[in-house]
Amino acid sequence: MTDPSTAGAVLTVDQSAIADNYRQLARRVAPAECAAVVKADAYGLGAALVAPALAAAGARTFFVATLDEALALAPLLPGVRIAVLNGLPAGAEDAAVAAGLAPVLNTLADLERWAGLGRRLGRPLPAFVQIDTGMSRLGLEPAERERLAAEPGRLDGVTLLAWLSHLACADEAGHPLTRQQSDRFRAALGPLPPAPASLANSPGIFRGRHLHLDLCRPGSALYGVNPTPETDNPMRPVVRLDGVVLQVRRVDRFESVGYGSTYKILRPSRIATIAVGYADGLLRSLSPRGSVWIAGRAAPLAGRVSMDLMTVDVTDLPEGAVAPGSRAELIGPNRPVDAVARDAGTIGYEILTSLGTRFARQAGPVAAAPDALARAASR
Ligand SMILES: *Cc1c(COP(=O)(O)O)cnc(C)c1O
């Protein structure tokens, strides 16, 4: 674990903000159950830190993407349900049974493998079954679910926790595909054996109660990504990334900054170099639009983000406001993850899941400055 007092950057994850976000979503969807999606190491924030906080806030069902994620999570979360969205690779059934996992079954062949094992063991095994309603990605196709409706005995050997489908466009308010998917899902469930149903991801939760059904599956909103991009973010910020300034240098007119010489210096300038780069997940595509929050105001990136460094134009800040050891907020309350994403031409999900491994990571409130960096800055 990198020492916060010597690291080039500190990533702070606010467990109580995550718990608040969970409780807000759970209230919104009640009486439906609110699960928690913690795939990709809880969207890059660290499942070991995040998942117990969610369990303490009341989450009882957790979704991950892969078997390995599920096996890593299971010992941390006794007594909760862990579901594997990508299903089980062939040969992984015994490990999944031993850990009590619930795979998401995405084809009739998946169902046959899992249900067959349940019949052989003489006890039904827990599972979700996914139905494709418009993603064309995973889940039973129309012909498969017609077959299943005609031969419901195929489910013998399985405890069906829920029928599941996934929304393609819920982040766009009023997108017609959301209503179509909801209609298709209900129509598909009609002839199938009755079981709970689950459709909504984070933005889906905000697009109407008819999408809540029995179980909602938020991920990104728990981590502070705006589930309603057309309006203010109802979620609390959860992540803060502070980078340390290594140098502040004067750069004369007609010099340039960084690879490709893209940032031309047209006036005598001060450039601050920060110990964070694209290898840490601050995407190269942040230049030329990105900025950081430093000494109480925004300062624009100067030139391209490099692998381990980024440069910021602090000419308009008061002389001496930024010095070696100063901290710059790269993501946080003043640089929301959605704003960073917009500047990089991507979505908050990708910013979070790109966060690197060279930071010191700590749990704590994101609104206040992390102690470690304040100490580092005062040295
Ligand atoms: C990732 C994922 C979710 C969570 O989506 P968010 O938009 O992050 O809330 C829910 N369901 C499925 C099937 C997913 O793949």
Side-chain angles (χ1 to χ4, degrees):
M1 184 90 182
T2 313
D3 180 347
S5 67
T6 55
V10 176
L11 183 75
T12 307
V13 175
D14 193 332
Q15 292 166 303
S16 78
I18 292 174
D20 271 1
N21 287 342
Y22 175 79
R23 285 187 287 261
Q24 184 200 144
L25 296 172
R27 273 195 305 276
R28 180 176 278 271
V29 306
E33 180 188 345
C34 191
V37 180
V38 294
K39 61 192 179 187
D41 204 22
Y43 290 51
L45 304 188
L49 198 78
V50 165
L54 287 164
R60 287 290 158 266
T61 303
F62 289 77
F63 285 87
V64 293
T66 69
L67 174 70
D68 286 349
E69 290 176 339
L71 293 176
L73 197 60
L76 304 178
L77 296 179
V80 311
R81 176 69 68 201
I82 300 177
V84 188
L85 287 165
N86 287 2
L88 293 181
E93 290 82 3
D94 291 346
V97 171
L101 306 180
V104 175
L105 306 172
N106 288 309
T107 65
L108 283 186
D110 286 355
L111 172 60
E112 184 42 45
R113 267 196 297 139
W114 193 240
L117 179 59
R119 291 193 293 267
R120 282 196 300 285
L121 293 174
R123 63 184 162 102
L125 297 174
F128 294 82
V129 174
Q130 178 152 218
I131 294 174
D132 182 27
T133 58
M135 281 286 274
S136 308
R137 196 176 71 163
L138 286 176
L140 303 192
E141 296 164 10
E144 287 183 297
R145 37 176 229 258
E146 277 161 33
R147 202 149 156 216
L148 184 55
E151 301 166 13
R154 287 171 172 272
L155 287 162
D156 293 349
V158 155
T159 299
L160 183 57
L161 299 175
W163 301 107
L164 181 153
S165 193
H166 192 47
L167 296 169
C169 298
D171 56 329
E172 279 182 58
H175 196 291
L177 187 54
T178 302
R179 168 58 75 176
Q180 275 169 23
Q181 285 193 271
S182 147
D183 292 346
R184 285 179 197 158
F185 194 34
R186 281 166 199 272
L189 296 185
L192 290 168
S198 175
L199 180 59
N201 57 352
S202 300
I205 288 173
F206 291 81
R207 303 305 183 200
R209 290 198 71 81
H210 65 289
L211 302 172
H212 295 173
L213 304 175
D214 302 295
L215 176 72
C216 295
R217 307 187 309 272
S220 58
L222 297 170
Y223 312 118
V225 174
N226 190 353
T228 54
E230 73 285 358
T231 178
D232 289 348
N233 190 349
M235 313 315 298
R236 282 185 58 183
V238 161
V239 186
R240 179 176 174 122
L241 179 64
D242 292 275
V244 172
V245 173
L246 297 177
Q247 278 198 0
V248 182
R249 56 200 304 123
R250 292 181 183 284
V251 182
D252 284 334
R253 238 176 291 213
F254 311 128
E255 290 291 338
S256 62
V257 183
Y259 285 117
S261 177
T262 58
Y263 195 77
K264 309 288 189 205
I265 298 290
L266 303 175
R267 54 174 181 167
S269 298
R270 276 175 290 124
I271 301 293
T273 303
I274 298 169
V276 175
Y278 60 75
D280 305 296
L282 272 287
L283 304 182
R284 192 168 172 274
S285 57
L286 272 170
S287 34
R289 280 169 302 280
S291 64
V292 308
W293 188 264
I294 187 162
R297 54 202 279 191
L301 294 198
R304 291 197 181 139
V305 177
S306 351
M307 187 182 294
D308 321 296
L309 298 168
M310 55 204 287
T311 36
V312 174
D313 192 331
V314 294
T315 312
D316 292 335
L317 271 65
E319 182 92 47
V322 178
S326 296
R327 64 187 189 279
E329 183 184 320
L330 311 180
I331 301 172
N334 299 297
R335 281 294 290 155
V337 62
D338 294 292
V340 175
R342 195 189 49 232
D343 289 345
T346 182
I347 55 176
Y349 299 65
E350 192 177 27
I351 297 295
L352 294 182
T353 57
S354 298
L355 289 171
T357 55
R358 299 194 291 193
F359 315 127
R361 287 174 178 249
Q362 64 180 20
V366 299
D371 292 354
L373 278 167
R375 273 205 311 279
S378 67
R379 277 202 310 248

Short mmCIF file of all heavy atoms in Angstrom, two decimals, residues 46 59-60 75 141 164 172 196 203 205 249 258 269 278 285 316 327 346-347 355:
data_model
loop_
_atom_site.label_atom_id
_atom_site.label_comp_id
_atom_site.label_asym_id
_atom_site.label_seq_id
_atom_site.Cartn_x
_atom_site.Cartn_y
_atom_site.Cartn_z
N GLY A 46 -12.35 0.11 -5.33
CA GLY A 46 -11.88 -0.87 -4.35
C GLY A 46 -13.05 -1.57 -3.69
O GLY A 46 -13.63 -1.06 -2.73
N ALA A 59 -27.48 -3.28 1.84
CA ALA A 59 -27.53 -4.04 0.58
C ALA A 59 -27.42 -5.53 0.88
O ALA A 59 -26.58 -5.95 1.68
CB ALA A 59 -26.40 -3.60 -0.35
N ARG A 60 -28.28 -6.32 0.25
CA ARG A 60 -28.31 -7.77 0.48
C ARG A 60 -27.94 -8.56 -0.77
O ARG A 60 -27.68 -9.75 -0.70
CB ARG A 60 -29.71 -8.19 0.96
CG ARG A 60 -30.01 -7.77 2.39
CD ARG A 60 -29.18 -8.58 3.37
NE ARG A 60 -29.02 -7.92 4.65
CZ ARG A 60 -27.99 -7.14 4.99
NH1 ARG A 60 -27.01 -6.92 4.14
NH2 ARG A 60 -27.92 -6.56 6.17
N PRO A 75 -15.69 -13.95 0.66
CA PRO A 75 -15.26 -14.01 2.07
C PRO A 75 -15.46 -12.69 2.82
O PRO A 75 -15.54 -12.69 4.05
CB PRO A 75 -13.77 -14.33 1.98
CG PRO A 75 -13.47 -14.60 0.55
CD PRO A 75 -14.60 -14.14 -0.28
N GLU A 141 -32.44 -15.16 -26.22
CA GLU A 141 -33.06 -14.58 -27.42
C GLU A 141 -34.53 -15.01 -27.45
O GLU A 141 -34.91 -15.96 -26.77
CB GLU A 141 -32.33 -15.09 -28.66
CG GLU A 141 -30.89 -14.64 -28.70
CD GLU A 141 -30.06 -15.44 -29.69
OE1 GLU A 141 -30.65 -16.21 -30.48
OE2 GLU A 141 -28.83 -15.27 -29.66
N LEU A 164 -34.07 -11.14 -15.39
CA LEU A 164 -33.29 -9.91 -15.42
C LEU A 164 -33.16 -9.44 -16.87
O LEU A 164 -33.03 -10.25 -17.79
CB LEU A 164 -31.93 -10.25 -14.80
CG LEU A 164 -30.82 -9.28 -14.61
CD1 LEU A 164 -29.97 -9.75 -13.43
CD2 LEU A 164 -29.95 -9.24 -15.85
N GLU A 172 -30.41 8.64 -21.23
CA GLU A 172 -31.01 9.71 -22.02
C GLU A 172 -32.48 9.83 -21.66
O GLU A 172 -33.28 8.94 -21.95
CB GLU A 172 -30.91 9.38 -23.52
CG GLU A 172 -29.57 9.70 -24.13
CD GLU A 172 -29.58 9.40 -25.63
OE1 GLU A 172 -30.42 9.97 -26.36
OE2 GLU A 172 -28.76 8.58 -26.05
N PRO A 196 -39.56 -12.97 -9.38
CA PRO A 196 -39.29 -11.53 -9.35
C PRO A 196 -38.61 -11.09 -10.65
O PRO A 196 -38.06 -11.90 -11.39
CB PRO A 196 -38.34 -11.37 -8.15
CG PRO A 196 -38.61 -12.57 -7.30
CD PRO A 196 -38.97 -13.67 -8.24
N PRO A 203 -29.45 4.96 -13.92
CA PRO A 203 -30.36 5.93 -14.55
C PRO A 203 -31.78 5.40 -14.66
O PRO A 203 -32.75 6.17 -14.52
CB PRO A 203 -29.73 6.19 -15.92
CG PRO A 203 -28.66 5.19 -16.11
CD PRO A 203 -28.29 4.65 -14.76
N ILE A 205 -33.47 3.85 -12.54
CA ILE A 205 -34.18 4.11 -11.28
C ILE A 205 -34.87 5.47 -11.33
O ILE A 205 -35.90 5.68 -10.69
CB ILE A 205 -33.19 4.02 -10.10
CG1 ILE A 205 -32.80 2.56 -9.86
CG2 ILE A 205 -33.75 4.67 -8.84
CD1 ILE A 205 -31.70 2.36 -8.83
N ARG A 249 7.36 26.15 -12.62
CA ARG A 249 8.45 26.75 -13.39
C ARG A 249 7.94 27.93 -14.20
O ARG A 249 6.79 27.98 -14.60
CB ARG A 249 9.11 25.72 -14.29
CG ARG A 249 8.14 25.04 -15.21
CD ARG A 249 8.69 23.73 -15.72
NE ARG A 249 9.97 23.92 -16.37
CZ ARG A 249 11.09 23.28 -16.01
NH1 ARG A 249 11.08 22.41 -15.02
NH2 ARG A 249 12.20 23.50 -16.66
N GLY A 258 5.20 20.34 -23.12
CA GLY A 258 4.78 18.94 -23.25
C GLY A 258 4.98 18.32 -24.63
O GLY A 258 5.43 18.97 -25.58
N SER A 269 4.83 32.86 -18.37
CA SER A 269 3.84 32.01 -17.71
C SER A 269 4.47 31.21 -16.58
O SER A 269 5.69 31.06 -16.50
CB SER A 269 3.26 31.01 -18.73
OG SER A 269 2.59 31.70 -19.76
N TYR A 278 -1.47 9.72 -17.51
CA TYR A 278 -2.49 8.81 -18.04
C TYR A 278 -2.32 7.39 -17.55
O TYR A 278 -3.27 6.61 -17.53
CB TYR A 278 -2.59 8.89 -19.57
CG TYR A 278 -1.37 8.55 -20.35
CD1 TYR A 278 -0.95 7.24 -20.52
CD2 TYR A 278 -0.64 9.55 -20.99
CE1 TYR A 278 0.17 6.93 -21.27
CE2 TYR A 278 0.48 9.26 -21.73
CZ TYR A 278 0.88 7.94 -21.87
OH TYR A 278 2.00 7.65 -22.60
N SER A 285 -6.83 12.05 -23.41
CA SER A 285 -7.82 12.85 -24.13
C SER A 285 -8.37 14.01 -23.29
O SER A 285 -9.17 14.79 -23.78
CB SER A 285 -8.98 11.96 -24.59
OG SER A 285 -9.57 11.30 -23.49
N ASP A 316 -2.44 32.63 -13.95
CA ASP A 316 -3.48 33.54 -13.46
C ASP A 316 -3.74 33.40 -11.97
O ASP A 316 -4.59 34.11 -11.42
CB ASP A 316 -4.78 33.32 -14.24
CG ASP A 316 -4.64 33.77 -15.70
OD1 ASP A 316 -3.78 34.64 -15.96
OD2 ASP A 316 -5.35 33.23 -16.56
N ARG A 327 -1.25 20.73 -3.41
CA ARG A 327 -2.09 19.68 -3.96
C ARG A 327 -3.07 20.28 -4.96
O ARG A 327 -3.52 21.42 -4.80
CB ARG A 327 -2.82 18.93 -2.87
CG ARG A 327 -3.80 19.78 -2.12
CD ARG A 327 -4.37 19.02 -0.95
NE ARG A 327 -5.47 19.75 -0.34
CZ ARG A 327 -5.31 20.74 0.52
NH1 ARG A 327 -4.09 21.14 0.86
NH2 ARG A 327 -6.36 21.35 1.02
N THR A 346 -15.60 11.24 -22.63
CA THR A 346 -16.08 9.90 -22.27
C THR A 346 -17.13 10.02 -21.17
O THR A 346 -17.72 11.10 -21.01
CB THR A 346 -14.90 9.00 -21.85
OG1 THR A 346 -15.39 7.69 -21.54
CG2 THR A 346 -14.15 9.55 -20.64
N ILE A 347 -17.40 8.93 -20.46
CA ILE A 347 -18.41 8.93 -19.40
C ILE A 347 -17.74 8.69 -18.05
O ILE A 347 -16.64 8.14 -17.97
CB ILE A 347 -19.49 7.84 -19.66
CG1 ILE A 347 -18.86 6.46 -19.85
CG2 ILE A 347 -20.33 8.23 -20.87
CD1 ILE A 347 -19.87 5.33 -20.01
N LEU A 355 -9.04 4.52 -13.07
CA LEU A 355 -8.16 4.98 -11.99
C LEU A 355 -7.07 3.94 -11.74
O LEU A 355 -7.34 2.75 -11.64
CB LEU A 355 -8.97 5.22 -10.71
CG LEU A 355 -9.89 6.44 -10.75
CD1 LEU A 355 -10.81 6.46 -9.54
CD2 LEU A 355 -9.08 7.72 -10.84
#
